Amino acid sequence: MSLAIIIRELGTGMLISVLIFITTLLFSLPLGLLVAFGRMSKNKIVSTLIKGYISIMRGTPLMLQLMVVYFGPYYIFGIRISDSYRLVAALIGFVINYAAYFAEIYRGGIESMPKGQYEAAKVLGYTKGQTFFRIILPQVFKRILPSITNEVITLVKDTSLAFSIAVIEMFTVAKQLAATTSSVVPFIAAGVFYYIFNLLVAILMEKIEKHLNYYR
């Protein structure tokens, strides 16, 4: 099998990996903020439940979570699952997992803000919502961007875990090609794909970080 064919086949799997990556970010970033609010809630019941959710998501393997999301409907509720549900289950698993990590990053950033800023905004007539979204959140995002970047880069590599529920992403394609050709070339090519993907993400996040450098 020629290198061109290997790259073409890997490209097909790469599209699924990119889909998982983009969908996870689109949903887990805002969901993570909501979870952070719940974690900081003064309501003990809400904060305890959210704390438990975060603890489970961070304390168990993502691969196990994907399996629970995929097989859970059948074993718990007796609902028949189809092959088309595999990708949906992968997306759900990734979103709820990364939302927990992003929530803790948000919480750390929000709690690191000086209380004086809230008091100053109140004196100027800002509501709590205006204070948070116009004054606090932009500063929080700048502070947590390096941590967000690390998680985003990890997400690129974690997309390969979708193979655990037989989602045909790039790593799965690489394994199939390696078995067919009895060669490590597909794995090397997949590694190059992942590296380039991560490099592009790192460059983009660096540009965003420089753009937010207000004191430059």
Coordinates of all heavy atoms in Angstrom, one line a residue, residues 105-106 108-118 120-121 130-146 212-215:
I105 N -11.1 25.0 36.0 CA -10.2 26.1 35.5 C -10.9 27.4 35.6 O -10.3 28.4 36.1 CB -9.8 25.8 34.0 CG1 -8.9 24.6 33.9 CG2 -9.1 27.0 33.5 CD1 -8.6 24.2 32.5
Y106 N -12.2 27.5 35.2 CA -13.0 28.7 35.4 C -13.1 29.1 36.8 O -12.9 30.3 37.2 CB -14.4 28.5 34.8 CG -14.6 28.5 33.3 CD1 -15.2 27.5 32.7 CD2 -14.1 29.6 32.6 CE1 -15.4 27.5 31.3 CE2 -14.2 29.6 31.2 CZ -14.9 28.6 30.6 OH -15.1 28.6 29.2
G108 N -11.1 28.4 39.4 CA -9.9 29.0 39.9 C -9.6 30.4 39.4 O -9.2 31.2 40.2
G109 N -10.0 30.7 38.1 CA -9.8 32.0 37.6 C -10.7 33.0 38.3 O -10.3 34.1 38.6
I110 N -12.0 32.6 38.4 CA -13.0 33.6 39.0 C -12.6 33.9 40.4 O -12.7 35.0 40.9 CB -14.4 32.9 38.9 CG1 -14.8 32.9 37.4 CG2 -15.4 33.8 39.7 CD1 -16.1 32.1 37.2
E111 N -12.3 32.8 41.2 CA -12.0 33.0 42.6 C -10.7 33.8 42.9 O -10.4 34.3 44.0 CB -11.9 31.7 43.4 CG -13.3 31.0 43.4 CD -13.3 29.7 44.2 OE1 -12.2 29.2 44.4 OE2 -14.4 29.2 44.6
S112 N -9.8 33.9 41.8 CA -8.6 34.6 42.0 C -8.7 36.1 41.8 O -7.8 36.9 42.0 CB -7.5 34.1 40.9 OG -7.9 34.5 39.6
M113 N -9.9 36.5 41.3 CA -10.1 38.0 41.0 C -10.3 38.7 42.4 O -11.0 38.2 43.3 CB -11.4 38.2 40.2 CG -11.2 37.5 38.8 SD -9.8 38.2 37.8 CE -10.3 39.9 37.7
P114 N -9.7 39.9 42.5 CA -9.8 40.7 43.7 C -11.2 41.1 44.0 O -12.0 41.5 43.0 CB -8.9 41.9 43.4 CG -8.0 41.5 42.3 CD -8.8 40.5 41.5
K115 N -11.7 41.0 45.2 CA -13.0 41.4 45.6 C -13.3 42.9 45.3 O -14.4 43.3 45.1 CB -13.3 41.1 47.0 CG -13.2 39.6 47.4 CD -14.2 38.8 46.7 CE -14.1 37.3 47.1 NZ -15.1 36.5 46.3
G116 N -12.2 43.7 45.3 CA -12.4 45.1 45.1 C -13.0 45.5 43.8 O -13.6 46.5 43.7
Q117 N -12.8 44.6 42.8 CA -13.3 44.9 41.5 C -14.8 44.8 41.5 O -15.5 45.6 40.8 CB -12.7 44.0 40.4 CG -11.2 44.2 40.2 CD -10.8 43.7 38.9 OE1 -11.6 43.6 37.9 NE2 -9.5 43.4 38.7
Y118 N -15.4 43.9 42.2 CA -16.8 43.7 42.4 C -17.4 45.0 43.1 O -18.4 45.5 42.7 CB -17.2 42.5 43.1 CG -16.8 41.2 42.4 CD1 -15.6 40.5 42.7 CD2 -17.7 40.6 41.6 CE1 -15.3 39.3 42.0 CE2 -17.5 39.4 40.9 CZ -16.2 38.8 41.1 OH -15.9 37.6 40.5
A120 N -16.1 48.0 43.3 CA -15.9 49.2 42.5 C -17.0 49.2 41.4 O -17.6 50.3 41.1 CB -14.5 49.2 41.8
A121 N -17.3 48.1 40.8 CA -18.3 48.0 39.8 C -19.7 48.3 40.4 O -20.5 49.0 39.7 CB -18.3 46.6 39.2
Q130 N -23.7 42.4 34.6 CA -22.8 43.3 33.9 C -21.4 43.3 34.4 O -20.4 43.3 33.7 CB -23.4 44.8 33.9 CG -24.6 45.0 33.2 CD -25.2 46.4 33.4 OE1 -25.1 47.0 34.4 NE2 -25.9 46.9 32.4
T131 N -21.3 43.2 35.8 CA -20.0 43.2 36.4 C -19.2 41.9 36.0 O -18.0 42.0 35.6 CB -20.1 43.2 37.9 OG1 -20.7 44.4 38.3 CG2 -18.7 43.1 38.6
F132 N -19.9 40.8 36.0 CA -19.2 39.6 35.6 C -18.9 39.5 34.2 O -17.7 39.2 33.8 CB -20.1 38.4 36.0 CG -19.5 37.0 35.7 CD1 -18.5 36.5 36.6 CD2 -19.8 36.3 34.6 CE1 -17.9 35.3 36.3 CE2 -19.1 35.1 34.3 CZ -18.2 34.6 35.2
F133 N -19.8 39.7 33.3 CA -19.6 39.5 31.8 C -18.8 40.6 31.2 O -18.0 40.4 30.2 CB -20.9 39.3 31.1 CG -21.5 38.0 31.4 CD1 -22.6 37.9 32.2 CD2 -21.0 36.8 30.8 CE1 -23.2 36.7 32.5 CE2 -21.6 35.6 31.1 CZ -22.7 35.5 31.9
R134 N -18.8 41.8 31.7 CA -18.1 43.0 31.1 C -16.7 43.2 31.7 O -15.8 43.7 31.1 CB -18.9 44.2 31.2 CG -20.2 44.2 30.3 CD -20.9 45.5 30.3 NE -22.1 45.5 29.5 CZ -22.9 46.6 29.4 NH1 -22.6 47.8 29.9 NH2 -24.0 46.5 28.6
I135 N -16.6 42.9 33.0 CA -15.4 43.2 33.7 C -14.6 42.0 34.2 O -13.4 41.9 33.9 CB -15.7 44.1 35.0 CG1 -16.4 45.4 34.5 CG2 -14.4 44.4 35.8 CD1 -16.9 46.3 35.7
I136 N -15.3 41.1 34.9 CA -14.6 39.9 35.5 C -14.2 38.9 34.4 O -13.0 38.5 34.3 CB -15.4 39.3 36.6 CG1 -15.8 40.4 37.7 CG2 -14.7 38.1 37.2 CD1 -14.6 41.0 38.3
L137 N -15.2 38.4 33.6 CA -14.9 37.3 32.7 C -13.8 37.6 31.7 O -13.0 36.7 31.5 CB -16.2 37.0 32.0 CG -16.2 35.7 31.1 CD1 -15.8 34.5 32.0 CD2 -17.5 35.4 30.4
P138 N -13.7 38.8 31.1 CA -12.6 39.0 30.2 C -11.2 38.8 30.8 O -10.3 38.3 30.2 CB -12.8 40.4 29.7 CG -14.3 40.7 29.8 CD -14.7 39.9 31.1
Q139 N -11.1 39.3 32.1 CA -9.9 39.2 32.8 C -9.6 37.7 33.2 O -8.5 37.2 33.2 CB -9.9 40.0 34.1 CG -10.0 41.5 33.8 CD -10.0 42.3 35.1 OE1 -9.0 42.5 35.8 NE2 -11.2 42.8 35.4
V140 N -10.7 37.0 33.6 CA -10.6 35.6 33.9 C -10.1 34.8 32.7 O -9.2 34.0 32.9 CB -11.9 35.0 34.4 CG1 -11.9 33.5 34.5 CG2 -12.3 35.6 35.8
F141 N -10.7 35.1 31.6 CA -10.3 34.3 30.4 C -8.8 34.5 30.1 O -8.1 33.5 29.7 CB -11.2 34.7 29.2 CG -11.0 33.9 28.0 CD1 -11.5 32.6 28.0 CD2 -10.3 34.3 26.9 CE1 -11.3 31.8 26.8 CE2 -10.1 33.5 25.8 CZ -10.6 32.2 25.8
K142 N -8.3 35.7 30.3 CA -6.9 36.0 30.0 C -6.0 35.2 31.0 O -5.0 34.6 30.6 CB -6.6 37.5 30.1 CG -5.2 37.8 29.9 CD -4.9 39.3 30.1 CE -3.4 39.6 30.0 NZ -3.1 41.0 30.3
R143 N -6.5 35.1 32.2 CA -5.7 34.4 33.2 C -5.6 32.9 33.0 O -4.6 32.2 33.3 CB -6.2 34.7 34.6 CG -6.0 36.1 35.1 CD -6.4 36.3 36.6 NE -6.2 37.6 37.0 CZ -6.1 38.0 38.3 NH1 -6.3 37.1 39.3 NH2 -5.9 39.2 38.7
I144 N -6.8 32.4 32.6 CA -6.9 30.9 32.5 C -6.5 30.4 31.1 O -6.5 29.2 30.9 CB -8.3 30.4 32.8 CG1 -9.3 30.9 31.8 CG2 -8.7 30.9 34.2 CD1 -10.7 30.4 32.0
L145 N -6.2 31.3 30.2 CA -5.9 30.8 28.8 C -4.8 29.8 28.7 O -4.9 28.8 28.0 CB -5.6 32.0 27.9 CG -5.6 31.7 26.4 CD1 -7.0 31.1 26.0 CD2 -5.3 33.0 25.6
P146 N -3.7 29.9 29.4 CA -2.6 28.9 29.4 C -3.2 27.5 29.8 O -2.8 26.5 29.2 CB -1.6 29.4 30.3 CG -1.7 30.9 30.3 CD -3.2 31.1 30.2
L212 N -4.9 39.1 23.7 CA -5.4 39.5 25.0 C -4.4 40.1 25.9 O -4.7 40.4 27.1 CB -6.0 38.3 25.7 CG -7.2 37.6 25.0 CD1 -7.6 36.4 25.7 CD2 -8.4 38.6 24.9
N213 N -3.2 40.3 25.4 CA -2.1 40.9 26.2 C -2.3 42.4 26.2 O -1.7 43.2 25.5 CB -0.7 40.6 25.6 CG 0.4 41.0 26.6 OD1 0.2 41.5 27.7 ND2 1.6 40.9 26.1
Y214 N -3.2 42.9 27.1 CA -3.6 44.3 27.2 C -2.4 45.2 27.5 O -2.4 46.4 27.2 CB -4.7 44.5 28.2 CG -5.8 43.6 28.1 CD1 -6.2 42.7 29.1 CD2 -6.6 43.6 26.9 CE1 -7.2 41.9 29.0 CE2 -7.7 42.7 26.8 CZ -8.0 41.9 27.8 OH -9.1 41.0 27.7
Y215 N -1.4 44.7 28.2 CA -0.3 45.5 28.7 C 0.9 45.5 27.9 O 2.0 45.9 28.3 CB 0.0 45.1 30.2 CG -1.2 45.0 31.1 CD1 -1.7 43.8 31.5 CD2 -1.8 46.2 31.5 CE1 -2.8 43.7 32.3 CE2 -2.9 46.1 32.3 CZ -3.4 44.9 32.7 OH -4.5 44.8 33.5

